Coordinates of all heavy atoms in Angstrom, one line a residue:
M1150 N 0.9 -1.2 -0.1 CA 0.0 0.0 0.0 C 0.9 1.2 0.0 O 1.6 1.5 1.0 CB -0.8 0.0 1.2 CG -1.9 -1.1 1.2 SD -2.9 -0.9 -0.2 CE -4.7 -1.1 0.5
S1151 N 0.8 2.0 -1.1 CA 1.6 3.3 -1.1 C 0.9 4.3 -1.9 O 0.6 4.1 -3.1 CB 3.0 3.0 -1.6 OG 3.0 2.4 -3.0
G1152 N 0.6 5.4 -1.4 CA 0.0 6.5 -2.1 C -1.4 6.3 -2.4 O -1.9 5.1 -2.3
P1153 N -2.1 7.3 -2.8 CA -3.6 7.2 -3.1 C -3.7 6.5 -4.4 O -3.0 6.6 -5.4 CB -4.0 8.7 -3.3 CG -2.8 9.4 -3.6 CD -1.6 8.7 -3.0
D1154 N -4.7 5.7 -4.4 CA -5.2 4.8 -5.6 C -6.3 5.6 -6.3 O -7.4 5.7 -5.7 CB -5.5 3.5 -5.2 CG -5.9 2.5 -6.3 OD1 -6.0 3.0 -7.4 OD2 -5.9 1.3 -6.1
P1155 N -6.1 6.1 -7.5 CA -7.2 6.8 -8.2 C -8.4 6.0 -8.6 O -9.4 6.5 -9.0 CB -6.5 7.4 -9.4 CG -5.3 6.5 -9.7 CD -4.9 6.0 -8.3
H1156 N -8.3 4.6 -8.5 CA -9.3 3.7 -8.8 C -10.0 3.2 -7.6 O -10.8 2.2 -7.7 CB -8.9 2.6 -9.7 CG -8.2 3.1 -11.0 ND1 -6.9 3.0 -11.3 CD2 -8.9 3.8 -12.0 CE1 -6.8 3.5 -12.5 NE2 -7.8 4.0 -13.0
R1157 N -9.8 3.8 -6.5 CA -10.4 3.3 -5.2 C -11.2 4.4 -4.6 O -10.8 5.5 -4.2 CB -9.3 2.9 -4.3 CG -9.6 2.0 -3.1 CD -8.5 1.5 -2.5 NE -8.0 0.2 -3.1 CZ -8.4 -1.0 -2.6 NH1 -9.1 -1.0 -1.5 NH2 -8.1 -2.1 -3.2
P1158 N -12.5 4.1 -4.4 CA -13.4 5.2 -3.8 C -12.9 5.4 -2.3 O -12.7 4.5 -1.6 CB -14.8 4.6 -3.8 CG -14.7 3.4 -4.7 CD -13.3 2.9 -4.8
K1159 N -12.9 6.7 -1.9 CA -12.6 7.0 -0.6 C -13.8 7.1 0.2 O -13.9 6.8 1.3 CB -11.7 8.3 -0.5 CG -11.2 8.6 0.9 CD -10.1 9.8 0.7 CE -10.6 11.0 0.2 NZ -10.9 12.0 1.2
E1160 N -14.8 7.9 -0.4 CA -16.0 8.1 0.2 C -17.2 8.1 -0.7 O -17.1 8.5 -1.9 CB -16.0 9.6 0.8 CG -16.6 9.7 2.2 CD -16.3 11.0 2.8 OE1 -15.2 11.2 3.3 OE2 -17.1 11.9 2.9
V1161 N -18.2 7.5 -0.3 CA -19.4 7.4 -1.1 C -20.6 8.1 -0.4 O -20.8 7.8 0.8 CB -19.8 5.9 -1.4 CG1 -21.0 5.8 -2.3 CG2 -18.6 5.3 -2.1
R1162 N -21.3 8.9 -1.1 CA -22.4 9.7 -0.4 C -23.5 9.9 -1.5 O -23.3 9.8 -2.7 CB -21.8 11.0 0.1 CG -21.4 11.9 -0.9 CD -20.5 13.0 -0.4 NE -19.5 13.3 -1.4 CZ -19.7 14.1 -2.4 NH1 -20.9 14.7 -2.6 NH2 -18.8 14.4 -3.3
L1163 N -24.7 10.2 -0.9 CA -25.8 10.5 -1.8 C -25.6 12.1 -2.2 O -25.2 12.9 -1.4 CB -27.1 10.3 -1.2 CG -27.4 8.9 -0.9 CD1 -28.8 8.7 -0.1 CD2 -27.4 8.0 -2.1
V1164 N -25.9 12.3 -3.5 CA -26.0 13.8 -3.9 C -27.4 14.1 -4.3 O -27.8 13.5 -5.3 CB -25.0 14.0 -5.1 CG1 -25.1 15.4 -5.6 CG2 -23.6 13.7 -4.7
G1165 N -28.0 15.0 -3.6 CA -29.4 15.3 -3.9 C -30.3 14.0 -3.7 O -30.0 13.1 -2.8
R1166 N -31.3 13.9 -4.5 CA -32.1 12.7 -4.4 C -31.9 11.6 -5.3 O -32.4 10.5 -5.2 CB -33.6 13.2 -4.5 CG -34.1 13.8 -3.2 CD -35.5 14.3 -3.4 NE -36.4 13.4 -4.0 CZ -36.9 12.3 -3.5 NH1 -36.8 12.1 -2.1 NH2 -37.7 11.4 -4.1
N1167 N -31.2 11.9 -6.4 CA -31.1 10.8 -7.4 C -29.7 10.7 -8.0 O -29.5 10.4 -9.1 CB -32.1 11.2 -8.6 CG -32.0 12.6 -9.0 OD1 -31.0 13.2 -8.8 ND2 -33.1 13.1 -9.6
A1168 N -28.7 11.0 -7.2 CA -27.4 10.7 -7.7 C -26.4 10.3 -6.6 O -26.7 10.5 -5.4 CB -26.8 12.0 -8.3
L1169 N -25.4 9.6 -7.0 CA -24.4 9.1 -6.0 C -23.1 9.9 -6.2 O -22.6 10.0 -7.4 CB -24.2 7.7 -6.3 CG -23.3 6.8 -5.3 CD1 -24.2 6.6 -4.1 CD2 -23.0 5.4 -5.9
G1170 N -22.5 10.2 -5.2 CA -21.2 11.0 -5.3 C -20.2 10.1 -4.8 O -20.3 9.4 -3.7
V1171 N -19.0 10.1 -5.5 CA -17.9 9.2 -5.2 C -16.7 10.1 -5.0 O -16.3 10.8 -6.0 CB -17.6 8.0 -6.1 CG1 -16.4 7.3 -5.6 CG2 -18.8 7.2 -6.1
D1172 N -16.1 10.2 -3.9 CA -14.8 10.9 -3.7 C -13.7 9.8 -3.9 O -13.6 8.8 -3.1 CB -14.7 11.6 -2.4 CG -15.6 12.8 -2.4 OD1 -15.9 13.3 -3.5 OD2 -16.2 13.1 -1.3
W1173 N -12.7 10.0 -4.6 CA -11.6 9.1 -4.9 C -10.4 9.5 -4.0 O -10.3 10.5 -3.5 CB -11.3 9.1 -6.3 CG -12.4 8.8 -7.3 CD1 -13.2 9.7 -7.9 CD2 -12.9 7.5 -7.7 NE1 -14.2 9.0 -8.6 CE2 -14.0 7.7 -8.5 CE3 -12.4 6.2 -7.3 CZ2 -14.7 6.6 -9.0 CZ3 -13.1 5.1 -7.8 CH2 -14.2 5.4 -8.7
Q1174 N -9.6 8.4 -3.8 CA -8.4 8.7 -3.0 C -7.5 9.7 -3.5 O -6.7 10.3 -2.8 CB -7.7 7.3 -2.9 CG -8.3 6.4 -1.9 CD -7.5 5.2 -1.5 OE1 -6.3 5.0 -2.0 NE2 -8.0 4.3 -0.7
D1175 N -7.5 10.0 -4.8 CA -6.7 11.0 -5.4 C -7.4 12.4 -5.4 O -7.0 13.3 -6.1 CB -6.2 10.6 -6.8 CG -7.3 10.6 -7.8 OD1 -8.5 10.6 -7.3 OD2 -7.1 10.5 -9.0
H1176 N -8.5 12.4 -4.5 CA -9.2 13.7 -4.3 C -10.0 14.0 -5.5 O -10.5 15.1 -5.6 CB -8.3 14.8 -3.9 CG -7.4 14.6 -2.8 ND1 -7.9 14.3 -1.5 CD2 -6.1 14.4 -2.6 CE1 -7.0 14.0 -0.7 NE2 -5.8 14.1 -1.4
H1177 N -10.2 13.3 -6.5 CA -11.1 13.5 -7.5 C -12.5 13.2 -7.0 O -12.7 12.4 -6.2 CB -10.7 12.7 -8.8 CG -11.6 13.1 -10.0 ND1 -11.4 14.3 -10.7 CD2 -12.5 12.4 -10.7 CE1 -12.2 14.3 -11.7 NE2 -12.9 13.3 -11.7
G1178 N -13.5 13.9 -7.5 CA -14.9 13.7 -7.2 C -15.8 13.3 -8.4 O -15.6 14.1 -9.4
S1179 N -16.6 12.3 -8.3 CA -17.5 12.0 -9.4 C -18.9 12.1 -8.9 O -19.2 11.7 -7.8 CB -17.2 10.6 -9.9 OG -15.8 10.4 -10.3
I1180 N -19.8 12.4 -9.8 CA -21.2 12.3 -9.5 C -21.9 11.5 -10.5 O -21.7 11.7 -11.7 CB -21.9 13.8 -9.4 CG1 -21.3 14.4 -8.2 CG2 -23.4 13.6 -9.3 CD1 -21.8 15.9 -8.1
F1181 N -22.6 10.5 -10.1 CA -23.2 9.5 -11.0 C -24.7 9.5 -10.7 O -25.2 9.0 -9.7 CB -22.7 8.1 -10.8 CG -21.2 7.9 -10.9 CD1 -20.4 7.8 -9.8 CD2 -20.7 8.0 -12.2 CE1 -19.0 7.6 -10.0 CE2 -19.3 7.9 -12.3 CZ -18.4 7.7 -11.2
P1182 N -25.5 10.0 -11.7 CA -26.9 9.9 -11.4 C -27.3 8.5 -11.5 O -26.8 7.6 -12.2 CB -27.5 10.5 -12.8 CG -26.4 11.4 -13.2 CD -25.2 10.7 -12.9
F1183 N -28.3 8.0 -10.6 CA -28.7 6.6 -10.6 C -29.0 6.0 -11.9 O -28.6 4.9 -12.2 CB -29.9 6.4 -9.6 CG -29.6 6.8 -8.1 CD1 -30.6 7.4 -7.4 CD2 -28.3 6.6 -7.6 CE1 -30.3 7.7 -6.0 CE2 -28.1 6.9 -6.3 CZ -29.0 7.5 -5.5
E1184 N -29.8 6.8 -12.7 CA -30.2 6.2 -14.0 C -29.0 5.9 -14.8 O -29.0 4.9 -15.5 CB -31.0 7.3 -14.7 CG -32.3 6.7 -15.2 CD -33.2 7.9 -15.5 OE1 -33.2 8.3 -16.7 OE2 -34.0 8.3 -14.7
Y1185 N -28.0 6.7 -14.7 CA -26.8 6.5 -15.5 C -26.0 5.3 -15.0 O -25.7 4.5 -15.9 CB -25.8 7.8 -15.3 CG -24.5 7.7 -16.0 CD1 -24.4 7.4 -17.4 CD2 -23.4 7.9 -15.3 CE1 -23.2 7.2 -18.0 CE2 -22.1 7.8 -15.9 CZ -22.0 7.5 -17.2 OH -20.8 7.4 -17.8
L1186 N -26.0 5.0 -13.8 CA -25.3 3.9 -13.2 C -26.0 2.6 -13.6 O -25.5 1.7 -14.1 CB -25.3 3.9 -11.7 CG -24.2 4.8 -11.1 CD1 -24.4 4.9 -9.6 CD2 -22.8 4.4 -11.5
R1187 N -27.4 2.7 -13.6 CA -28.2 1.5 -13.9 C -28.0 1.2 -15.3 O -27.8 0.0 -15.7 CB -29.7 1.9 -13.6 CG -30.6 0.7 -13.9 CD -30.3 -0.5 -13.0 NE -31.5 -1.3 -12.9 CZ -31.6 -2.6 -13.4 NH1 -30.6 -3.0 -14.1 NH2 -32.6 -3.3 -13.2
S1188 N -28.0 2.2 -16.2 CA -27.8 2.0 -17.7 C -26.3 1.5 -18.0 O -26.1 0.9 -19.0 CB -28.2 3.1 -18.5 OG -27.2 4.1 -18.3
A1189 N -25.5 1.8 -17.0 CA -24.0 1.4 -17.2 C -23.7 0.0 -16.6 O -22.5 -0.4 -16.6 CB -23.1 2.5 -16.8
C1190 N -24.7 -0.6 -16.0 CA -24.5 -1.8 -15.3 C -23.7 -2.8 -16.2 O -24.1 -3.0 -17.4 CB -25.8 -2.5 -14.9 SG -25.6 -4.0 -14.1
P1191 N -22.6 -3.3 -15.6 CA -21.7 -4.1 -16.5 C -22.1 -5.6 -16.6 O -21.4 -6.3 -17.3 CB -20.3 -3.9 -15.8 CG -20.6 -3.7 -14.4 CD -22.0 -3.0 -14.4
C1192 N -23.2 -6.0 -16.0 CA -23.5 -7.4 -15.9 C -24.1 -7.8 -17.4 O -24.4 -7.1 -18.1 CB -24.6 -7.8 -14.9 SG -26.2 -7.6 -15.3
R1193 N -24.0 -9.1 -17.5 CA -24.4 -9.6 -18.9 C -25.8 -9.4 -19.3 O -26.1 -9.0 -20.4 CB -24.0 -11.1 -19.0 CG -23.2 -11.4 -20.2 CD -22.6 -12.8 -20.1 NE -23.5 -13.8 -20.6 CZ -23.3 -15.1 -20.3 NH1 -22.3 -15.5 -19.5 NH2 -24.2 -16.0 -20.8
A1194 N -26.6 -9.5 -18.3 CA -28.1 -9.4 -18.6 C -28.3 -7.9 -19.1 O -29.1 -7.7 -20.0 CB -29.0 -9.6 -17.3
C1195 N -27.7 -7.0 -18.5 CA -27.9 -5.6 -18.9 C -27.2 -5.2 -20.2 O -27.5 -4.2 -20.8 CB -27.5 -4.6 -17.8 SG -28.4 -4.8 -16.3
R1196 N -26.3 -6.0 -20.6 CA -25.6 -5.7 -21.9 C -26.4 -6.1 -23.1 O -26.3 -5.9 -24.2 CB -24.3 -6.3 -22.0 CG -23.3 -6.0 -20.8 CD -22.8 -4.6 -20.6 NE -23.3 -3.4 -21.3 CZ -23.8 -2.3 -20.8 NH1 -23.8 -2.2 -19.4 NH2 -24.1 -1.3 -21.5
E1197 N -27.5 -7.0 -22.8 CA -28.4 -7.5 -23.8 C -29.3 -6.2 -24.0 O -30.0 -5.8 -23.2 CB -29.3 -8.6 -23.3 CG -28.5 -9.8 -22.9 CD -28.3 -10.7 -24.1 OE1 -29.1 -10.6 -25.1 OE2 -27.4 -11.5 -24.1
P1198 N -29.4 -5.8 -25.3 CA -30.1 -4.6 -25.6 C -31.6 -4.6 -25.2 O -32.2 -3.7 -24.9 CB -30.0 -4.4 -27.1 CG -28.8 -5.3 -27.5 CD -28.8 -6.3 -26.4
R1199 N -32.2 -5.8 -25.3 CA -33.6 -5.9 -25.1 C -34.1 -5.6 -23.7 O -35.3 -5.2 -23.4 CB -34.2 -7.3 -25.5 CG -33.6 -8.4 -24.7 CD -34.0 -9.8 -25.3 NE -33.1 -10.8 -24.8 CZ -33.3 -11.4 -23.7 NH1 -34.2 -11.0 -22.8 NH2 -32.4 -12.3 -23.3
V1200 N -33.3 -5.8 -22.7 CA -33.7 -5.5 -21.4 C -33.3 -4.1 -20.9 O -33.6 -3.7 -19.8 CB -33.1 -6.5 -20.3 CG1 -33.5 -7.9 -20.6 CG2 -31.6 -6.4 -20.4
R1201 N -32.6 -3.4 -21.8 CA -32.3 -2.0 -21.4 C -33.5 -1.1 -21.5 O -34.4 -1.4 -22.2 CB -31.2 -1.5 -22.4 CG -30.0 -2.3 -22.5 CD -28.8 -2.0 -21.5 NE -28.6 -0.5 -21.6 CZ -27.6 0.0 -22.3 NH1 -26.9 -0.7 -23.1 NH2 -27.3 1.2 -22.1
G1202 N -33.4 -0.1 -20.8 CA -34.6 0.9 -20.8 C -35.7 0.4 -20.0 O -36.1 -0.7 -19.9
G1203 N -36.3 1.4 -19.3 CA -37.5 1.0 -18.4 C -37.0 0.2 -17.1 O -37.9 -0.1 -16.4
A1204 N -35.8 0.1 -16.9 CA -35.3 -0.7 -15.7 C -35.4 0.3 -14.5 O -35.4 1.5 -14.7 CB -33.9 -1.2 -15.9
E1205 N -35.7 -0.3 -13.4 CA -35.8 0.5 -12.2 C -34.5 1.0 -11.9 O -33.5 0.3 -11.7 CB -36.3 -0.5 -11.0 CG -36.4 0.2 -9.7 CD -37.6 1.2 -9.7 OE1 -38.7 0.8 -9.7 OE2 -37.2 2.4 -9.6
A1206 N -34.4 2.4 -11.8 CA -33.1 3.0 -11.5 C -33.1 3.7 -10.1 O -32.6 4.7 -9.9 CB -32.8 4.0 -12.6
W1207 N -33.7 3.0 -9.2 CA -33.7 3.5 -7.9 C -33.0 2.5 -7.0 O -33.5 1.4 -6.8 CB -35.1 3.8 -7.3 CG -35.1 4.8 -6.3 CD1 -35.3 4.5 -5.0 CD2 -35.0 6.2 -6.4 NE1 -35.2 5.7 -4.2 CE2 -35.0 6.7 -5.1 CE3 -34.6 7.0 -7.5 CZ2 -34.8 8.1 -4.9 CZ3 -34.5 8.4 -7.2 CH2 -34.6 8.9 -5.9
P1208 N -31.9 2.9 -6.3 CA -31.2 1.9 -5.5 C -31.9 1.6 -4.1 O -32.4 2.5 -3.5 CB -29.9 2.5 -5.2 CG -30.1 4.1 -5.4 CD -31.2 4.2 -6.3
A1209 N -32.0 0.3 -3.8 CA -32.5 -0.1 -2.5 C -31.3 -0.1 -1.5 O -31.6 0.1 -0.3 CB -33.2 -1.4 -2.6
E1210 N -30.1 -0.4 -2.0 CA -29.1 -0.6 -1.1 C -27.7 -0.3 -1.8 O -27.6 -0.7 -3.0 CB -29.1 -2.0 -0.5 CG -28.4 -2.1 0.8 CD -28.3 -3.5 1.4 OE1 -29.0 -4.4 0.8 OE2 -27.6 -3.8 2.3
I1211 N -26.9 0.4 -1.2 CA -25.6 0.7 -1.8 C -24.5 0.2 -0.8 O -24.5 0.6 0.3 CB -25.4 2.2 -2.1 CG1 -26.5 2.6 -3.1 CG2 -24.0 2.4 -2.7 CD1 -26.5 4.1 -3.3
T1212 N -23.7 -0.7 -1.2 CA -22.7 -1.3 -0.4 C -21.3 -1.1 -0.9 O -21.1 -1.3 -2.2 CB -22.9 -2.8 -0.2 OG1 -24.3 -3.1 -0.2 CG2 -22.3 -3.3 1.1
R1213 N -20.4 -0.7 0.0 CA -19.0 -0.6 -0.5 C -18.4 -2.0 -0.5 O -18.5 -2.8 0.4 CB -18.2 0.2 0.6 CG -18.5 1.6 0.7 CD -17.9 2.4 -0.4 NE -16.4 2.3 -0.3 CZ -15.6 3.1 0.4 NH1 -16.2 4.1 1.2 NH2 -14.3 3.0 0.4
E1214 N -17.9 -2.3 -1.7 CA -17.2 -3.6 -1.8 C -15.7 -3.3 -1.7 O -15.3 -2.2 -1.9 CB -17.5 -4.2 -3.2 CG -18.9 -4.6 -3.3 CD -19.0 -6.1 -3.1 OE1 -18.4 -6.9 -3.9 OE2 -19.7 -6.5 -2.2
E1215 N -14.9 -4.3 -1.6 CA -13.4 -4.1 -1.7 C -13.1 -3.4 -3.0 O -13.2 -4.0 -4.0 CB -12.8 -5.5 -1.5 CG -11.2 -5.4 -1.5 CD -10.7 -4.6 -0.4 OE1 -11.3 -4.5 0.7 OE2 -9.6 -4.0 -0.6
G1216 N -12.7 -2.1 -2.8 CA -12.3 -1.4 -4.0 C -13.3 -1.1 -5.0 O -13.1 -0.5 -6.1
G1217 N -14.6 -1.3 -4.7 CA -15.7 -0.9 -5.6 C -17.0 -0.7 -4.9 O -17.0 -0.3 -3.7
L1218 N -18.0 -1.0 -5.7 CA -19.4 -0.6 -5.1 C -20.4 -1.7 -5.7 O -20.3 -2.1 -6.8 CB -19.7 0.7 -5.8 CG -20.5 1.7 -4.9 CD1 -19.8 2.0 -3.7 CD2 -20.8 2.9 -5.8
R1219 N -21.3 -2.1 -4.8 CA -22.4 -2.9 -5.2 C -23.7 -2.2 -5.0 O -23.9 -1.6 -3.9 CB -22.3 -4.2 -4.3 CG -23.5 -5.1 -4.5 CD -23.5 -6.2 -3.4 NE -22.3 -7.0 -3.6 CZ -22.3 -8.2 -4.4 NH1 -23.4 -8.5 -5.0 NH2 -21.2 -8.8 -4.5
I1220 N -24.5 -2.1 -6.0 CA -25.8 -1.5 -5.9 C -26.9 -2.4 -6.1 O -26.9 -3.1 -7.1 CB -25.9 -0.3 -6.8 CG1 -24.8 0.7 -6.6 CG2 -27.2 0.4 -6.7 CD1 -24.7 1.8 -7.7
R1221 N -27.8 -2.6 -5.1 CA -29.0 -3.4 -5.4 C -30.2 -2.4 -5.6 O -30.4 -1.5 -4.9 CB -29.3 -4.2 -4.0 CG -30.4 -5.2 -4.3 CD -30.3 -6.4 -3.3 NE -30.4 -5.8 -1.9 CZ -31.6 -5.4 -1.4 NH1 -32.7 -5.6 -2.1 NH2 -31.6 -4.9 -0.2
W1222 N -30.8 -2.7 -6.6 CA -31.9 -1.9 -7.1 C -33.2 -2.3 -6.6 O -33.3 -3.4 -6.2 CB -31.9 -1.8 -8.7 CG -30.6 -1.4 -9.3 CD1 -29.6 -2.2 -9.8 CD2 -30.1 0.0 -9.4 NE1 -28.5 -1.5 -10.2 CE2 -28.8 -0.2 -10.0 CE3 -30.5 1.2 -9.1 CZ2 -28.0 0.9 -10.3 CZ3 -29.8 2.3 -9.4 CH2 -28.5 2.2 -10.1
R1223 N -34.2 -1.4 -6.7 CA -35.5 -1.7 -6.2 C -36.1 -3.0 -6.8 O -36.9 -3.7 -6.2 CB -36.5 -0.5 -6.4 CG -36.3 0.6 -5.4 CD -37.3 0.5 -4.3 NE -37.1 1.6 -3.4 CZ -37.7 2.8 -3.6 NH1 -38.5 3.0 -4.6 NH2 -37.6 3.8 -2.8
D1224 N -35.8 -3.2 -8.1 CA -36.4 -4.3 -8.7 C -35.6 -5.7 -8.4 O -35.8 -6.7 -9.1 CB -36.5 -4.1 -10.2 CG -35.1 -3.9 -10.9 OD1 -34.1 -3.9 -10.2 OD2 -35.1 -3.5 -12.1
G1225 N -34.7 -5.6 -7.5 CA -33.9 -6.8 -7.1 C -32.6 -7.0 -7.9 O -31.9 -7.9 -7.5
H1226 N -32.5 -6.2 -8.9 CA -31.2 -6.4 -9.7 C -30.1 -5.9 -8.9 O -30.2 -5.0 -8.1 CB -31.4 -5.7 -11.0 CG -30.3 -6.0 -12.0 ND1 -30.2 -7.2 -12.6 CD2 -29.3 -5.3 -12.4 CE1 -29.2 -7.2 -13.4 NE2 -28.5 -6.1 -13.3
E1227 N -28.9 -6.5 -9.2 CA -27.7 -6.1 -8.6 C -26.6 -5.7 -9.6 O -26.3 -6.4 -10.5 CB -27.1 -7.2 -7.6 CG -27.5 -7.0 -6.2 CD -26.8 -7.8 -5.2 OE1 -25.9 -8.6 -5.7 OE2 -27.1 -7.9 -4.1
S1228 N -26.1 -4.5 -9.4 CA -24.9 -4.1 -10.2 C -23.7 -4.0 -9.3 O -23.7 -3.5 -8.2 CB -25.2 -2.8 -10.8 OG -26.4 -2.7 -11.5
V1229 N -22.6 -4.6 -9.9 CA -21.4 -4.6 -9.1 C -20.3 -3.7 -10.0 O -20.1 -4.2 -11.1 CB -20.7 -5.9 -8.8 CG1 -19.5 -5.8 -8.0 CG2 -21.8 -6.6 -7.9
F1230 N -19.8 -2.7 -9.5 CA -18.9 -1.8 -10.2 C -17.5 -2.0 -9.5 O -17.4 -1.7 -8.3 CB -19.3 -0.4 -10.3 CG -20.6 -0.2 -11.0 CD1 -21.7 -0.1 -10.3 CD2 -20.6 0.0 -12.4 CE1 -23.0 0.2 -11.0 CE2 -21.7 0.2 -13.1 CZ -22.9 0.3 -12.4
G1231 N -16.5 -2.4 -10.3 CA -15.2 -2.3 -9.7 C -14.8 -0.8 -9.7 O -15.3 0.0 -10.3
G1232 N -13.8 -0.5 -8.8 CA -13.4 0.9 -8.7 C -12.9 1.5 -10.0 O -13.3 2.6 -10.4
R1233 N -12.1 0.7 -10.8 CA -11.6 1.2 -12.0 C -12.7 1.5 -13.0 O -12.8 2.5 -13.7 CB -10.6 0.2 -12.6 CG -10.0 0.7 -13.9 CD -9.0 -0.4 -14.4 NE -7.8 -0.5 -13.5 CZ -6.8 0.1 -13.7 NH1 -6.7 1.0 -14.7 NH2 -5.7 0.0 -12.8
Q1234 N -13.6 0.5 -13.0 CA -14.9 0.6 -13.9 C -15.7 1.9 -13.6 O -16.1 2.6 -14.5 CB -15.8 -0.6 -13.6 CG -16.4 -1.2 -14.8 CD -16.8 -2.6 -14.4 OE1 -16.9 -3.0 -13.2 NE2 -17.0 -3.4 -15.4
L1235 N -15.8 2.1 -12.3 CA -16.6 3.3 -11.9 C -15.9 4.6 -12.3 O -16.5 5.5 -12.7 CB -16.8 3.1 -10.4 CG -18.0 3.9 -9.8 CD1 -19.3 3.3 -10.3 CD2 -18.0 3.6 -8.3
R1236 N -14.6 4.6 -12.1 CA -13.9 5.8 -12.4 C -14.0 6.1 -13.8 O -14.0 7.3 -14.3 CB -12.4 5.5 -11.9 CG -11.5 6.8 -12.3 CD -11.8 8.0 -11.4 NE -11.0 9.1 -11.7 CZ -10.0 9.6 -10.9 NH1 -9.9 9.2 -9.6 NH2 -9.3 10.6 -11.3
E1237 N -13.9 5.1 -14.7 CA -14.0 5.3 -16.1 C -15.4 5.8 -16.6 O -15.5 6.3 -17.7 CB -13.7 4.0 -16.8 CG -12.2 3.8 -16.9 CD -11.8 2.4 -17.4 OE1 -12.7 1.6 -17.7 OE2 -10.6 2.1 -17.5
L1238 N -16.4 5.6 -15.7 CA -17.7 6.1 -16.0 C -17.9 7.6 -15.8 O -18.8 8.3 -16.1 CB -18.8 5.4 -15.2 CG -19.0 3.9 -15.6 CD1 -20.1 3.3 -14.6 CD2 -19.6 3.8 -17.0
C1239 N -16.9 8.2 -15.0 CA -17.0 9.6 -14.6 C -17.0 10.4 -15.9 O -16.2 10.2 -16.8 CB -15.8 10.0 -13.8 SG -15.9 11.7 -13.2
R1240 N -18.0 11.4 -16.0 CA -18.1 12.1 -17.2 C -17.9 13.6 -16.9 O -18.3 14.5 -17.6 CB -19.6 12.0 -17.7 CG -19.9 10.6 -18.3 CD -21.2 10.6 -19.0 NE -22.3 10.9 -18.1 CZ -23.5 10.8 -18.3 NH1 -23.9 10.5 -19.6 NH2 -24.5 11.1 -17.5
C1241 N -17.1 13.9 -15.9 CA -16.8 15.3 -15.6 C -15.9 15.9 -16.6 O -15.2 15.0 -17.4 CB -16.2 15.4 -14.1 SG -14.5 15.0 -14.0
V1242 N -15.7 17.1 -16.6 CA -14.9 17.8 -17.6 C -13.5 17.3 -17.6 O -12.9 17.1 -18.7 CB -14.9 19.3 -17.4 CG1 -14.0 20.0 -18.4 CG2 -16.3 19.8 -17.5
L1243 N -12.9 17.0 -16.4 CA -11.5 16.6 -16.3 C -11.4 15.2 -17.0 O -10.5 15.0 -17.7 CB -11.2 16.5 -14.9 CG -10.8 17.8 -14.2 CD1 -10.5 17.5 -12.7 CD2 -9.5 18.4 -14.9
C1244 N -12.4 14.3 -16.7 CA -12.2 12.9 -17.2 C -12.6 12.8 -18.7 O -12.1 11.9 -19.3 CB -13.1 12.0 -16.4 SG -12.6 11.8 -14.7
T1245 N -13.4 13.7 -19.2 CA -13.8 13.6 -20.6 C -13.0 14.5 -21.5 O -13.2 14.6 -22.7 CB -15.3 14.0 -20.8 OG1 -15.5 15.3 -20.3 CG2 -16.1 13.0 -20.0
G1246 N -12.0 15.2 -20.8 CA -11.2 16.1 -21.6 C -11.9 17.4 -22.2 O -11.5 18.0 -23.1
G1247 N -13.1 17.7 -21.5 CA -13.8 18.9 -21.8 C -14.6 18.7 -23.1 O -15.0 19.7 -23.7
R1248 N -14.8 17.5 -23.5 CA -15.6 17.2 -24.8 C -17.1 17.6 -24.6 O -17.6 17.3 -23.6 CB -15.5 15.8 -25.2 CG -14.3 15.7 -26.2 CD -14.3 14.2 -26.6 NE -13.7 13.4 -25.5 CZ -14.3 12.2 -25.2 NH1 -15.3 11.7 -25.7 NH2 -13.8 11.4 -24.2
Ligands
LIG2369 ZN1 -27.1 -5.6 -14.7
LIG2370 ZN1 -14.0 12.9 -13.3

């Protein structure tokens, strides 16, 4: 263990009523709307186009996993994001290069 890991969440908190904020160990901050996280679910079922859209995008439970995050949605579905995966989802100006 040496130095901050930019792919490791330091703090996870709710932002407003419908977004999740993640502070990273390198002091970067990301905000992920629930809907965005749900649509970005990396599991195989969600990668099938036919089940996308209309999915319940409200988390019932958010758990810190070792180096990542597990979100259980109201409809019982679970999304597991690795820290690196989550960091790559960040769409802030810094991470997208201002595009
Ligand atoms: Zn999924
Ligand atoms: Zn960012």
Side-chain angles (χ1 to χ4, degrees):
M1150 290 304 223
S1151 58
D1154 183 346
H1156 299 114
R1157 199 166 267 264
K1159 186 165 66 99
E1160 218 168 288
V1161 177
R1162 65 202 145 78
L1163 294 179
V1164 177
R1166 281 177 45 79
N1167 49 23
L1169 189 74
V1171 178
D1172 291 329
W1173 302 92
Q1174 283 191 359
D1175 63 351
H1176 305 298
H1177 189 68
S1179 304
I1180 292 178
F1181 303 109
F1183 294 147
E1184 230 166 90
Y1185 175 55
L1186 283 176
R1187 181 65 157 104
S1188 70
C1190 177
C1192 85
R1193 230 166 84 198
C1195 291
R1196 304 299 4 130
E1197 300 272 337
R1199 61 190 162 79
V1200 296
R1201 307 266 312 265
E1205 180 67 73
W1207 203 255
E1210 202 181 351
I1211 299 170
T1212 323
R1213 292 278 302 270
E1214 291 262 297
E1215 179 61 29
L1218 214 60
R1219 174 189 297 269
I1220 302 172
R1221 191 159 56 79
W1222 305 96
R1223 282 264 182 86
D1224 60 5
H1226 190 74
E1227 264 191 6
S1228 304
V1229 180
F1230 296 96
R1233 180 179 294 268
Q1234 218 161 21
L1235 206 58
R1236 178 70 182 245
E1237 280 169 1
L1238 289 175
C1239 184
R1240 289 189 300 185
C1241 80
V1242 175
L1243 282 175
C1244 292
T1245 59
R1248 267 178 290 134

